[in-house]
């Protein structure tokens, strides 16, 4: 997937002030995107960097989906963590 192209497309589709929400599963610190295919996880900082590079500004964040008990090193569909993963929820605004 070309995430940069996707982020640019979402930016172009929204009116100024529009919100782009992103919810995804935390990866272990330093993993970047390296476990996206194997564990379906990504580092929060990568998402923030990529989405803001498309022109958005991070405007809000919720901790409601966070679970610090998730070991972060297993596939999100693994029965030991399924439906209990450590997730981030971010809101980006188009200026």
């Amino acid at each position: 997937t070309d995430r940069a192209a996707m982020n640019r497309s979402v930016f172009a589709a929204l009116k100024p002030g529009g919100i782009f929400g992103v919810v995804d599963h935390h990866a272990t610190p330093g993993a970047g995107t390296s476990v996206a295919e194997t564990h379906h996880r990504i580092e929060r900082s990568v998402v923030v960097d990529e989405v803001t590079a498309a022109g958005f500004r991070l405007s809000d964040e919720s901790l409601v989906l966070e679970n610090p008990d998730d070991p972060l090193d297993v596939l999100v569909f693994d029965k030991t963590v399924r439906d209990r993963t450590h997730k981030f929820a971010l809101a980006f605004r188009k200026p």
Side-chain angles (χ1 to χ4, degrees), residues 14-67:
L14 289 175
K15 294 178 182 179
I19 300 292
F20 177 28
V22 178
V23 175
D24 214 330
H25 309 270
H26 282 283
T28 55
T33 61
S34 67
V35 294
E37 296 291 323
T38 58
H39 293 82
H40 196 68
R41 296 175 180 267
I42 190 168
E43 268 193 277
R44 177 194 172 279
S45 61
V46 170
V47 173
V48 171
D49 290 348
E50 291 181 351
V51 176
T52 57
F56 287 98
R57 292 195 178 118
L58 180 62
S59 63
D60 204 0
E61 179 170 10
S62 175
L63 304 178
V64 71
L65 299 175
E66 300 222 346
N67 177 8

